[in-house]
Amino acid sequence: MTEQAWASEVSGKIKEKMRTVAERSRHKIPYTTVDGVFDDWSGEKITWWTNGFWGGMMWQLYHATGEELYREIAQENEEKLDAALRNSDCMDHDSGFRWLPTAVADYRLTGSQASRNRGILAAGDMAGRFNPVGRFIRAWNDPEGKKAGWAIIDCMMNLPLLYWAYEELKDPRFLQVATMHADTAEKYFIRPDGSVNHIVEFDPATGEYVQSFGGQGYCVGSSWTRGQSWALYGFTLSYLHTKEERYLNAAKRVAHYFISNIPESGLIPVDFRQPADCVWEDSTAAAIAACGLLEISKCVDEREKHVYRGAAMKLLKALAEKRCRWDTECDNILEKCTAAYHDKVHEFSIIYGDYYFIEAIFKLTGEEVFIW
């Protein structure tokens, strides 16, 4: 079977399953499943950073099928997120994850000015987190300011919100903030071997480097795989938006490290440097990395394409054949996702795993709407 035929077959399975799942969960904003059924974070948990991915899945499916059900669900998700947009305590570095797959996707597909306004407001708030002496975007909030100097690799995936705002407003401040943060991340987050730090602390008053933390990985100096995938895809996106070769080179360095550590099975661990007797996996890292690898393959010359595309296909085939639930009795698609190494619970379904798997498959079939 050709790659195209295989991808088309998987795309068909996604559409068949999600038509039932979407109807059943149309008024929810899920994070995970409980006994196979999506939970709902649209109430008190509306501020959570993953709450844009359900809407993103719906826009991908709407673009691929034209079915109005998906547009209606996506727009409901977007409107519910207004509760977070109006709460300054809940706005942080993850605005891209919440409003690119919802408001900005809506604007791109329908021209909604209300959606454009939401995206601009979110981008303005995110740009306001920029520390000019350290040239980084601050990560989480904390009332005592102890994390005022913290930046995380995840933010590379949020920068496209600023690139979009620059394109919309022609205001260079958004571009400047995004590229200065990307340059800082390239310098302090990517190690010489292509592995990546999750959290880096700077002195917020002077901008000086202080230390790195293990964060959601195994330990300081380890290699949290989802952090690797955020960097791999994130630097690729900065290249796509700016055409600055240094970002593509950074993405390739991370990609080479990631590819060299893919197990024979194609199934990705939580941390590439976790203890040998630990078998915990993170399917989300595989799906995100596959998206980034497919985009890199479009940016390099013919002699290199197979390196990145081949690795992406290995990851996606392993997921589709070993880690996907295709029955409609279970709401999630991907299994064995892990949020963080030191969490008490591992290997469950997580909504962004499903989102990035769908995005990757639709990249292969040409059905994707480019959200980032």
Side-chain angles (χ1 to χ4, degrees), residues 148-171:
W150 284 26
I152 62 174
I153 196 61
D154 315 40
C155 196
M156 288 302 303
M157 285 296 299
N158 289 282
L159 296 185
L161 180 64
L162 302 182
Y163 293 129
W164 169 80
Y166 165 65
E167 293 163 5
E168 282 295 308
L169 301 176
K170 301 300 184 285
D171 185 335

PDB file of all heavy atoms in Angstrom, residues 148-171:
ATOM      1  N   ALA A 148       8.834  34.613  37.927  1.00  0.00           N
ATOM      2  CA  ALA A 148       8.853  35.714  36.963  1.00  0.00           C
ATOM      3  C   ALA A 148       9.953  35.560  35.919  1.00  0.00           C
ATOM      4  O   ALA A 148       9.873  36.143  34.835  1.00  0.00           O
ATOM      5  CB  ALA A 148       9.010  37.056  37.694  1.00  0.00           C
ATOM      6  N   GLY A 149      10.975  34.770  36.233  1.00  0.00           N
ATOM      7  CA  GLY A 149      12.072  34.565  35.293  1.00  0.00           C
ATOM      8  C   GLY A 149      12.024  33.226  34.582  1.00  0.00           C
ATOM      9  O   GLY A 149      12.997  32.842  33.917  1.00  0.00           O
ATOM     10  N   TRP A 150      10.909  32.518  34.685  1.00  0.00           N
ATOM     11  CA  TRP A 150      10.812  31.189  34.081  1.00  0.00           C
ATOM     12  C   TRP A 150      10.297  31.265  32.646  1.00  0.00           C
ATOM     13  O   TRP A 150       9.334  31.964  32.345  1.00  0.00           O
ATOM     14  CB  TRP A 150       9.868  30.304  34.885  1.00  0.00           C
ATOM     15  CG  TRP A 150      10.451  29.793  36.168  1.00  0.00           C
ATOM     16  CD1 TRP A 150      11.443  30.365  36.920  1.00  0.00           C
ATOM     17  CD2 TRP A 150      10.059  28.613  36.872  1.00  0.00           C
ATOM     18  NE1 TRP A 150      11.693  29.619  38.034  1.00  0.00           N
ATOM     19  CE2 TRP A 150      10.861  28.537  38.039  1.00  0.00           C
ATOM     20  CE3 TRP A 150       9.111  27.625  36.638  1.00  0.00           C
ATOM     21  CZ2 TRP A 150      10.738  27.489  38.962  1.00  0.00           C
ATOM     22  CZ3 TRP A 150       8.986  26.586  37.560  1.00  0.00           C
ATOM     23  CH2 TRP A 150       9.799  26.518  38.707  1.00  0.00           C
ATOM     24  N   ALA A 151      10.958  30.517  31.790  1.00  0.00           N
ATOM     25  CA  ALA A 151      10.503  30.342  30.403  1.00  0.00           C
ATOM     26  C   ALA A 151      10.519  28.845  30.109  1.00  0.00           C
ATOM     27  O   ALA A 151      11.315  28.104  30.694  1.00  0.00           O
ATOM     28  CB  ALA A 151      11.411  31.082  29.434  1.00  0.00           C
ATOM     29  N   ILE A 152       9.641  28.403  29.204  1.00  0.00           N
ATOM     30  CA  ILE A 152       9.569  26.972  28.902  1.00  0.00           C
ATOM     31  C   ILE A 152       9.564  26.733  27.395  1.00  0.00           C
ATOM     32  O   ILE A 152       9.132  27.586  26.620  1.00  0.00           O
ATOM     33  CB  ILE A 152       8.350  26.300  29.555  1.00  0.00           C
ATOM     34  CG1 ILE A 152       7.030  26.896  29.045  1.00  0.00           C
ATOM     35  CG2 ILE A 152       8.426  26.408  31.072  1.00  0.00           C
ATOM     36  CD1 ILE A 152       5.800  26.164  29.567  1.00  0.00           C
ATOM     37  N   ILE A 153      10.022  25.557  27.017  1.00  0.00           N
ATOM     38  CA  ILE A 153      10.150  25.233  25.593  1.00  0.00           C
ATOM     39  C   ILE A 153       8.798  25.183  24.900  1.00  0.00           C
ATOM     40  O   ILE A 153       8.687  25.458  23.695  1.00  0.00           O
ATOM     41  CB  ILE A 153      10.922  23.900  25.396  1.00  0.00           C
ATOM     42  CG1 ILE A 153      11.396  23.759  23.951  1.00  0.00           C
ATOM     43  CG2 ILE A 153      10.077  22.717  25.828  1.00  0.00           C
ATOM     44  CD1 ILE A 153      12.341  24.853  23.479  1.00  0.00           C
ATOM     45  N   ASP A 154       7.737  24.878  25.635  1.00  0.00           N
ATOM     46  CA  ASP A 154       6.385  24.828  25.071  1.00  0.00           C
ATOM     47  C   ASP A 154       6.018  26.120  24.339  1.00  0.00           C
ATOM     48  O   ASP A 154       5.229  26.106  23.383  1.00  0.00           O
ATOM     49  CB  ASP A 154       5.343  24.599  26.164  1.00  0.00           C
ATOM     50  CG  ASP A 154       5.715  23.522  27.168  1.00  0.00           C
ATOM     51  OD1 ASP A 154       6.901  23.456  27.544  1.00  0.00           O
ATOM     52  OD2 ASP A 154       4.823  22.780  27.607  1.00  0.00           O
ATOM     53  N   CYS A 155       6.574  27.234  24.812  1.00  0.00           N
ATOM     54  CA  CYS A 155       6.210  28.544  24.268  1.00  0.00           C
ATOM     55  C   CYS A 155       6.552  28.674  22.789  1.00  0.00           C
ATOM     56  O   CYS A 155       5.952  29.499  22.081  1.00  0.00           O
ATOM     57  CB  CYS A 155       6.885  29.646  25.068  1.00  0.00           C
ATOM     58  SG  CYS A 155       6.171  31.285  24.814  1.00  0.00           S
ATOM     59  N   MET A 156       7.478  27.867  22.299  1.00  0.00           N
ATOM     60  CA  MET A 156       7.799  27.921  20.870  1.00  0.00           C
ATOM     61  C   MET A 156       6.574  27.631  20.009  1.00  0.00           C
ATOM     62  O   MET A 156       6.438  28.174  18.913  1.00  0.00           O
ATOM     63  CB  MET A 156       8.909  26.923  20.530  1.00  0.00           C
ATOM     64  CG  MET A 156      10.287  27.299  21.038  1.00  0.00           C
ATOM     65  SD  MET A 156      10.868  28.904  20.429  1.00  0.00           S
ATOM     66  CE  MET A 156      10.775  28.694  18.663  1.00  0.00           C
ATOM     67  N   MET A 157       5.661  26.807  20.520  1.00  0.00           N
ATOM     68  CA  MET A 157       4.454  26.486  19.764  1.00  0.00           C
ATOM     69  C   MET A 157       3.398  27.580  19.859  1.00  0.00           C
ATOM     70  O   MET A 157       2.419  27.578  19.112  1.00  0.00           O
ATOM     71  CB  MET A 157       3.867  25.157  20.254  1.00  0.00           C
ATOM     72  CG  MET A 157       4.618  23.934  19.801  1.00  0.00           C
ATOM     73  SD  MET A 157       4.610  23.696  18.002  1.00  0.00           S
ATOM     74  CE  MET A 157       2.867  23.510  17.668  1.00  0.00           C
ATOM     75  N   ASN A 158       3.575  28.505  20.800  1.00  0.00           N
ATOM     76  CA  ASN A 158       2.629  29.612  20.947  1.00  0.00           C
ATOM     77  C   ASN A 158       3.031  30.837  20.141  1.00  0.00           C
ATOM     78  O   ASN A 158       2.203  31.722  19.891  1.00  0.00           O
ATOM     79  CB  ASN A 158       2.495  29.986  22.425  1.00  0.00           C
ATOM     80  CG  ASN A 158       1.746  28.942  23.225  1.00  0.00           C
ATOM     81  OD1 ASN A 158       0.531  28.860  23.180  1.00  0.00           O
ATOM     82  ND2 ASN A 158       2.481  28.117  23.954  1.00  0.00           N
ATOM     83  N   LEU A 159       4.286  30.905  19.719  1.00  0.00           N
ATOM     84  CA  LEU A 159       4.764  32.071  18.973  1.00  0.00           C
ATOM     85  C   LEU A 159       3.974  32.351  17.696  1.00  0.00           C
ATOM     86  O   LEU A 159       3.832  33.523  17.316  1.00  0.00           O
ATOM     87  CB  LEU A 159       6.251  31.900  18.628  1.00  0.00           C
ATOM     88  CG  LEU A 159       7.227  31.851  19.805  1.00  0.00           C
ATOM     89  CD1 LEU A 159       8.664  31.812  19.276  1.00  0.00           C
ATOM     90  CD2 LEU A 159       7.048  33.023  20.752  1.00  0.00           C
ATOM     91  N   PRO A 160       3.434  31.328  17.003  1.00  0.00           N
ATOM     92  CA  PRO A 160       2.664  31.640  15.801  1.00  0.00           C
ATOM     93  C   PRO A 160       1.483  32.574  16.024  1.00  0.00           C
ATOM     94  O   PRO A 160       1.036  33.230  15.083  1.00  0.00           O
ATOM     95  CB  PRO A 160       2.209  30.255  15.323  1.00  0.00           C
ATOM     96  CG  PRO A 160       3.331  29.361  15.733  1.00  0.00           C
ATOM     97  CD  PRO A 160       3.726  29.875  17.094  1.00  0.00           C
ATOM     98  N   LEU A 161       0.980  32.679  17.257  1.00  0.00           N
ATOM     99  CA  LEU A 161      -0.069  33.666  17.527  1.00  0.00           C
ATOM    100  C   LEU A 161       0.473  35.072  17.310  1.00  0.00           C
ATOM    101  O   LEU A 161      -0.218  35.947  16.775  1.00  0.00           O
ATOM    102  CB  LEU A 161      -0.590  33.508  18.959  1.00  0.00           C
ATOM    103  CG  LEU A 161      -1.697  34.485  19.373  1.00  0.00           C
ATOM    104  CD1 LEU A 161      -2.959  34.271  18.546  1.00  0.00           C
ATOM    105  CD2 LEU A 161      -2.005  34.330  20.876  1.00  0.00           C
ATOM    106  N   LEU A 162       1.732  35.294  17.701  1.00  0.00           N
ATOM    107  CA  LEU A 162       2.353  36.602  17.516  1.00  0.00           C
ATOM    108  C   LEU A 162       2.694  36.842  16.051  1.00  0.00           C
ATOM    109  O   LEU A 162       2.535  37.970  15.551  1.00  0.00           O
ATOM    110  CB  LEU A 162       3.610  36.711  18.380  1.00  0.00           C
ATOM    111  CG  LEU A 162       3.415  36.504  19.883  1.00  0.00           C
ATOM    112  CD1 LEU A 162       4.737  36.696  20.615  1.00  0.00           C
ATOM    113  CD2 LEU A 162       2.358  37.458  20.441  1.00  0.00           C
ATOM    114  N   TYR A 163       3.143  35.815  15.352  1.00  0.00           N
ATOM    115  CA  TYR A 163       3.414  35.975  13.920  1.00  0.00           C
ATOM    116  C   TYR A 163       2.124  36.321  13.171  1.00  0.00           C
ATOM    117  O   TYR A 163       2.126  37.162  12.264  1.00  0.00           O
ATOM    118  CB  TYR A 163       4.013  34.685  13.345  1.00  0.00           C
ATOM    119  CG  TYR A 163       5.389  34.340  13.868  1.00  0.00           C
ATOM    120  CD1 TYR A 163       5.670  33.067  14.379  1.00  0.00           C
ATOM    121  CD2 TYR A 163       6.422  35.273  13.852  1.00  0.00           C
ATOM    122  CE1 TYR A 163       6.934  32.743  14.849  1.00  0.00           C
ATOM    123  CE2 TYR A 163       7.688  34.953  14.330  1.00  0.00           C
ATOM    124  CZ  TYR A 163       7.936  33.693  14.824  1.00  0.00           C
ATOM    125  OH  TYR A 163       9.185  33.368  15.291  1.00  0.00           O
ATOM    126  N   TRP A 164       1.027  35.668  13.563  1.00  0.00           N
ATOM    127  CA  TRP A 164      -0.262  35.972  12.930  1.00  0.00           C
ATOM    128  C   TRP A 164      -0.676  37.409  13.214  1.00  0.00           C
ATOM    129  O   TRP A 164      -1.132  38.118  12.306  1.00  0.00           O
ATOM    130  CB  TRP A 164      -1.330  34.997  13.434  1.00  0.00           C
ATOM    131  CG  TRP A 164      -2.712  35.405  13.035  1.00  0.00           C
ATOM    132  CD1 TRP A 164      -3.308  35.209  11.816  1.00  0.00           C
ATOM    133  CD2 TRP A 164      -3.670  36.102  13.839  1.00  0.00           C
ATOM    134  NE1 TRP A 164      -4.580  35.755  11.814  1.00  0.00           N
ATOM    135  CE2 TRP A 164      -4.823  36.297  13.045  1.00  0.00           C
ATOM    136  CE3 TRP A 164      -3.665  36.582  15.153  1.00  0.00           C
ATOM    137  CZ2 TRP A 164      -5.959  36.949  13.525  1.00  0.00           C
ATOM    138  CZ3 TRP A 164      -4.796  37.230  15.642  1.00  0.00           C
ATOM    139  CH2 TRP A 164      -5.916  37.414  14.826  1.00  0.00           C
ATOM    140  N   ALA A 165      -0.515  37.868  14.455  1.00  0.00           N
ATOM    141  CA  ALA A 165      -0.891  39.242  14.806  1.00  0.00           C
ATOM    142  C   ALA A 165      -0.059  40.242  14.011  1.00  0.00           C
ATOM    143  O   ALA A 165      -0.567  41.286  13.569  1.00  0.00           O
ATOM    144  CB  ALA A 165      -0.720  39.469  16.303  1.00  0.00           C
ATOM    145  N   TYR A 166       1.216  39.931  13.823  1.00  0.00           N
ATOM    146  CA  TYR A 166       2.067  40.801  13.006  1.00  0.00           C
ATOM    147  C   TYR A 166       1.552  40.874  11.576  1.00  0.00           C
ATOM    148  O   TYR A 166       1.465  41.960  10.985  1.00  0.00           O
ATOM    149  CB  TYR A 166       3.504  40.282  13.018  1.00  0.00           C
ATOM    150  CG  TYR A 166       4.371  40.884  11.945  1.00  0.00           C
ATOM    151  CD1 TYR A 166       4.670  42.243  11.942  1.00  0.00           C
ATOM    152  CD2 TYR A 166       4.878  40.089  10.914  1.00  0.00           C
ATOM    153  CE1 TYR A 166       5.463  42.801  10.937  1.00  0.00           C
ATOM    154  CE2 TYR A 166       5.662  40.635   9.913  1.00  0.00           C
ATOM    155  CZ  TYR A 166       5.950  41.992   9.935  1.00  0.00           C
ATOM    156  OH  TYR A 166       6.719  42.533   8.935  1.00  0.00           O
ATOM    157  N   GLU A 167       1.188  39.733  11.034  1.00  0.00           N
ATOM    158  CA  GLU A 167       0.670  39.711   9.659  1.00  0.00           C
ATOM    159  C   GLU A 167      -0.644  40.481   9.540  1.00  0.00           C
ATOM    160  O   GLU A 167      -0.889  41.155   8.534  1.00  0.00           O
ATOM    161  CB  GLU A 167       0.467  38.254   9.217  1.00  0.00           C
ATOM    162  CG  GLU A 167       1.772  37.475   9.079  1.00  0.00           C
ATOM    163  CD  GLU A 167       1.560  35.976   9.056  1.00  0.00           C
ATOM    164  OE1 GLU A 167       0.389  35.544   9.058  1.00  0.00           O
ATOM    165  OE2 GLU A 167       2.562  35.231   9.054  1.00  0.00           O
ATOM    166  N   GLU A 168      -1.470  40.418  10.568  1.00  0.00           N
ATOM    167  CA  GLU A 168      -2.767  41.096  10.542  1.00  0.00           C
ATOM    168  C   GLU A 168      -2.632  42.599  10.741  1.00  0.00           C
ATOM    169  O   GLU A 168      -3.298  43.394  10.066  1.00  0.00           O
ATOM    170  CB  GLU A 168      -3.682  40.531  11.632  1.00  0.00           C
ATOM    171  CG  GLU A 168      -4.315  39.212  11.285  1.00  0.00           C
ATOM    172  CD  GLU A 168      -5.269  39.310  10.107  1.00  0.00           C
ATOM    173  OE1 GLU A 168      -6.168  40.168  10.132  1.00  0.00           O
ATOM    174  OE2 GLU A 168      -5.102  38.532   9.151  1.00  0.00           O
ATOM    175  N   LEU A 169      -1.789  43.008  11.689  1.00  0.00           N
ATOM    176  CA  LEU A 169      -1.713  44.413  12.096  1.00  0.00           C
ATOM    177  C   LEU A 169      -0.545  45.162  11.465  1.00  0.00           C
ATOM    178  O   LEU A 169      -0.482  46.390  11.558  1.00  0.00           O
ATOM    179  CB  LEU A 169      -1.606  44.498  13.620  1.00  0.00           C
ATOM    180  CG  LEU A 169      -2.761  43.877  14.408  1.00  0.00           C
ATOM    181  CD1 LEU A 169      -2.454  43.947  15.903  1.00  0.00           C
ATOM    182  CD2 LEU A 169      -4.076  44.567  14.088  1.00  0.00           C
ATOM    183  N   LYS A 170       0.404  44.416  10.892  1.00  0.00           N
ATOM    184  CA  LYS A 170       1.621  44.999  10.331  1.00  0.00           C
ATOM    185  C   LYS A 170       2.366  45.820  11.392  1.00  0.00           C
ATOM    186  O   LYS A 170       2.997  46.829  11.103  1.00  0.00           O
ATOM    187  CB  LYS A 170       1.297  45.880   9.115  1.00  0.00           C
ATOM    188  CG  LYS A 170       0.588  45.124   7.996  1.00  0.00           C
ATOM    189  CD  LYS A 170       1.410  43.976   7.467  1.00  0.00           C
ATOM    190  CE  LYS A 170       0.758  43.280   6.281  1.00  0.00           C
ATOM    191  NZ  LYS A 170      -0.377  42.431   6.680  1.00  0.00           N
ATOM    192  N   ASP A 171       2.259  45.354  12.640  1.00  0.00           N
ATOM    193  CA  ASP A 171       2.936  45.983  13.766  1.00  0.00           C
ATOM    194  C   ASP A 171       4.169  45.146  14.091  1.00  0.00           C
ATOM    195  O   ASP A 171       4.048  44.010  14.568  1.00  0.00           O
ATOM    196  CB  ASP A 171       2.001  46.051  14.970  1.00  0.00           C
ATOM    197  CG  ASP A 171       2.596  46.809  16.152  1.00  0.00           C
ATOM    198  OD1 ASP A 171       3.843  46.878  16.243  1.00  0.00           O
ATOM    199  OD2 ASP A 171       1.821  47.335  16.974  1.00  0.00           O
TER     200      ASP A 171
END
